[in-house]
Amino acid sequence: MSSTIIYTLTDEAPMLATYSFLPIVQAYAGQAGVEVETRDISLSGRILAAFADVLPEDQRIADDLAELGRLATTPEANIIKLPNISASTPQLKAAVAELQDKGYALPAYPDDPQSDEEKDVRARYDAVKGSAVNPVLREGNSDRRAPEAVKGYARRHPHSMGEWSSDSRTEVATMGQDDFASNEQSAVLGSDDILTIQHIAADGTVTTLKSGLKVLQGEVVDSTVMRAAALDEFLREQVRRAKELDVLFSVHLKATMMKVSDPIIFGHVVRVYFADVYAEYGDRLMAAGLDGTNGLAAVLSGLDSIDGGEEIRAAFEQALADGPRLAMVNSDKGITNLHVPSDVIIDASMPAMIRTSGHMWGADGEEHDTLAVIPDSSYAGVYSAVIEDCKKHGAYDPTTMGSVPNVGLMAQKAEEYGSHDKTFEISADGKVQVVAEGGEVLMEHEVSAGDIWRACQTKDAPIRDWVKLAVTRARATGDPAVFWLDENRAHDARLIEKVRTYLADHDTDGLDISIMAPEAAAAHSVERIRQGLNTISVTGNVLRDYNTDLFPILELGTSAKMLSVVPLMNGGGLFETGAGGSAPKHVQQLTSENYLRWDSLGEFLALAESFRHLGDTTDNAKALVLADALDRATGTLLDENKSPARRVGQIDNRGSHFYLALFWAEELAKQTSDAELAERFSALASSLREQEQTITDELIAVQGSPADIGGYYRPDDEKAAAVMRPSPTFNAALASLAS
């Protein structure tokens, strides 16, 4: 087995933190004979890899993501995966523009490709958008939980929680009919097959939407449709209600992970909110591609290039004044909930709202009750259940509340997050069919022009592994495990059959394992939370994503402090390091005042598990010592409050890395199971402790002035390293470990 750990280079704040933390990791790992290599899976790296065959030779880079995808299927895989950008179209275009400015010979992103060459360029870029990384690497299911040290710290040092009132007007609005959840059909394949998705127009014209779709025996295949006319009617009603109730209007989608369907839905929201503008100027706006799919900001910026642009701009401004108040992303800058699809991501925005008294920010810079619009009803009830619980019982108490760890089904592009290549905006009335190779129609939907149709797959092997992991966690913790599955939803009904079958393969005596619909499971879990009890949520892929933000943000104040382990199905390990939702703001602060608030706690937790996995699989006792010492050092870091502070003049991300290195070295120096390691780290521990004041002074001295890192999406390595490693004393002490 390999003694190599792969540390991924990603984007934004996690990537900047890597310039500071990775040298520490490599220096310490080297003492245990462990190599720590890097692979670039950043947005810019993925873009360059996608065009490697057409770029000049000196601009080509390897496709590291594809390499890691292959590695993830092998027993020797040991990958630490940091948060990366799941790019929306505006983010992708911004990254391409930056790379072009740096001299990379990349083609422009074609909004309306016509030629075969333009279609090829568009296809390459589209493959980079959205959740391009996670489905490739996640060859296993997810085990996410709050480590005891983190949970204990949150109880001793509770984060702020806004007060809730029983007369709060905040609520969730969802369709409940004519949406993805209500229209879903599902089939389990009796044998391996090759499916075709086809559209049959009203006049009988048959168009193949996708062919050659390989499926395996036992695989669950779903199809569904969201009806555009019903969506618009629903949205019109919510705009009216928000105005009538005098609450903020907000929409909560995931235009990054659901990179085909949700931007389309977002465009509907923009057009409905600004219905009067589109009624009068829609022909010009739509002809210019300003349909709202990329958000209000893209529409407004595009007005400069069309006739009567200023007149239309004034109409938008009047509509904002006349319509319901919009929730704001940044009230100081006038950035609304509708400006950029990737600015308001449901799994981050909804928990933040719930934590803040059910409020979002208004244009006046104040908090207000909010109508949270979640069009598809598949999982909206989870947030409704938590909001209703808060209205009834008040805010949760971090000093006493229990926990909701998660076992998530996500391997091999399971469920909705694997639907991108099977999602279509329907061009004409008719029907869409999923057809087996022998001609049997497995599923069929009547459709109208503009409807959003999608199909999803969930392979049988990941489901078996998911059930096994749920039983393993229930046995290890003694906590009850609840499968969040709704027997009235087509896909979930299929999974319930499989769950019951595969549970029989395991010893479940003495375990509390049950199945509940998501809304009921959420209500059950928060009831237990208030009693200080833990409940394992066993969920599908999307709810895995939602729950591992929702509950950690309420319990810990952030989801970045979760331990996220992916036991890969072929024996390897993938160790994820938390959420990246606040990463852009951190980068902005670094470049403006050389201060990085990003908390690398997730990296510390993942690294310890990575060392532990490597030690267990390669019989490397030194790696196990490193893991145990790192866990204790992380506990000390929390107890001594050496995580990044909140303002300039205090330690930031770089300072927390120094203290982690200090506490880690001290733990290694005093451990007794490996005298060689203890001797190697004792000198470093003494040196770091003696020079603590000098090092922290050097780290803080650089703060307060702008920092040049040479790029947002692809920083200059030399400049970024200089910014993130500004203490010569610390750098020299670390270098001495290798001598």
Side-chain angles (χ1 to χ4, degrees), residues 163-173 250 252 349-360 369-374 379-396 519 522-523 526 530 550-551 554:
E163 293 184 6
W164 273 84
S165 169
S166 60
D167 60 3
S168 168
R169 291 171 295 160
T170 290
E171 62 178 274
V172 171
S250 64
H252 302 262
S349 60
M350 287 300 297
M353 184 184 78
I354 293 169
R355 182 184 163 189
T356 316
S357 310
H359 295 161
M360 295 185 73
D369 288 343
T370 304
L371 180 64
V373 176
I374 304 174
Y379 310 112
V382 171
Y383 297 114
S384 289
V386 178
I387 288 171
E388 292 308 309
D389 180 77
C390 290
K391 288 181 182 180
K392 185 175 181 179
H393 300 292
Y396 301 105
E519 187 167 353
V526 295
R530 292 190 183 276
L550 172 60
F551 293 108
L554 298 178

Side-chain angles (χ1 to χ4, degrees), residues 266-597:
F266 197 88
H268 278 267
V269 179
V270 172
R271 294 194 298 276
V272 168
Y273 184 92
F274 295 101
D276 291 346
V277 181
Y278 276 89
E280 186 169 356
Y281 304 104
D283 290 346
R284 273 182 274 175
L285 290 166
M286 300 299 277
L290 305 180
D291 63 355
T293 298
N294 294 326
L296 178 59
V299 174
L300 296 177
S301 66
L303 293 179
D304 294 336
S305 60
I306 66 174
D307 291 340
E310 287 309 307
E311 176 187 341
I312 300 174
R313 189 185 306 278
F316 274 106
E317 291 173 354
Q318 189 61 50
L320 281 170
D322 293 342
R325 295 174 296 147
L326 280 176
M328 304 297 288
V329 170
N330 188 322
S331 54
D332 292 337
K333 296 182 178 180
I335 300 174
T336 74
N337 175 274
L338 300 183
H339 262 65
V340 182
S342 55
D343 271 354
V344 183
I345 302 300
I346 182 171
D347 46 338
S349 60
M350 287 300 297
M353 184 184 78
I354 293 169
R355 182 184 163 189
T356 316
S357 310
H359 295 161
M360 295 185 73
W361 295 99
D364 58 0
E366 301 293 332
E367 296 177 17
H368 300 278
D369 288 343
T370 304
L371 180 64
V373 176
I374 304 174
D376 181 46
S377 60
S378 296
Y379 310 112
V382 171
Y383 297 114
S384 289
V386 178
I387 288 171
E388 292 308 309
D389 180 77
C390 290
K391 288 181 182 180
K392 185 175 181 179
H393 300 292
Y396 301 105
D397 182 355
T399 66
T400 60
M401 67 189 293
S403 188
V404 184
N406 181 262
V407 173
L409 171 62
M410 66 177 189
Q412 299 180 352
K413 304 181 182 180
E415 302 182 320
E416 296 98 327
Y417 283 171
S419 67
H420 315 313
D421 62 341
K422 299 175 288 294
T423 301
F424 308 96
E425 188 171 22
I426 302 303
S427 59
D429 294 356
K431 56 188 175 183
V432 176
Q433 299 175 331
V434 179
V435 185
E437 189 172 26
E440 178 187 2
V441 177
L442 301 180
M443 289 169 280
E444 179 179 283
H445 287 94
E446 297 292 329
V447 294
S448 300
D451 288 352
I452 308 165
W453 186 98
R454 76 176 185 210
C456 309
Q457 299 167 256
T458 313
K459 292 179 169 55
D460 186 63
I463 298 171
R464 289 176 182 264
D465 182 76
W466 177 55
V467 173
K468 175 185 175 182
L469 184 57
V471 173
T472 300
R473 293 306 304 159
R475 178 72 65 190
T477 63
D479 294 327
V482 179
F483 284 85
W484 293 37
L485 297 170
D486 184 355
E487 63 182 4
N488 295 312
R489 181 180 166 193
H491 168 82
D492 285 12
R494 300 292 191 180
L495 257 63
I496 288 172
E497 294 173 2
K498 286 179 174 284
V499 166
R500 288 176 173 154
T501 298
Y502 298 149
L503 279 174
D505 296 336
H506 302 280
D507 176 12
T508 59
D509 286 350
L511 302 182
D512 182 354
I513 298 177
S514 58
I515 299 172
M516 298 183 189
E519 187 167 353
H524 174 70
S525 299
V526 295
E527 180 182 359
R528 287 175 53 83
I529 270 181
R530 292 190 183 276
Q531 301 170 42
L533 301 174
N534 303 336
T535 313
I536 302 168
S537 64
V538 189
T539 71
N541 205 347
V542 173
L543 270 179
R544 167 200 59 80
D545 215 2
Y546 291 6
N547 282 7
T548 55
D549 272 310
L550 172 60
F551 293 108
I553 286 173
L554 298 178
E555 295 173 32
L556 312 174
T558 174
S559 57
K561 295 181 179 180
M562 288 287 279
L563 176 61
S564 182
V565 178
V566 182
L568 299 173
M569 289 193 293
N570 288 329
L574 175 67
F575 307 94
E576 300 185 329
T577 69
S582 59
K585 294 181 180 179
H586 291 326
V587 180
Q588 294 162 12
Q589 186 176 17
L590 177 82
T591 55
S592 65
E593 52 188 12
N594 204 346
Y595 187 88
L596 186 64
R597 265 189 65 189

Side-chain angles (χ1 to χ4, degrees), residues 639-670:
D639 287 339
E640 297 202 7
N641 197 27
K642 297 301 184 183
S643 298
R646 301 186 66 85
R647 58 182 62 87
V648 172
Q650 301 172 301
I651 66 165
D652 68 350
N653 174 265
R654 296 163 290 192
S656 72
H657 291 167
F658 159 67
Y659 277 106
L660 190 280
L662 168 60
F663 300 147
W664 194 5
E666 290 180 334
E667 289 293 342
L668 288 165
K670 67 187 181 186

Side-chain angles (χ1 to χ4, degrees), residues 54-77:
V54 299
L55 288 171
E57 190 168 348
D58 63 341
Q59 294 184 351
R60 297 175 186 173
I61 68 170
D63 190 344
D64 285 355
L65 178 58
E67 179 195 342
L68 291 186
R70 293 187 291 270
L71 178 63
T73 64
T74 67
E76 57 266 24

Side-chain angles (χ1 to χ4, degrees), residues 44 47-48 94-106 714:
S44 64
I47 291 171
L48 295 175
V96 171
E98 180 179 308
L99 290 168
Q100 290 172 332
D101 287 345
K102 287 176 174 288
Y104 289 96
L106 289 167
R714 198 161 190 83

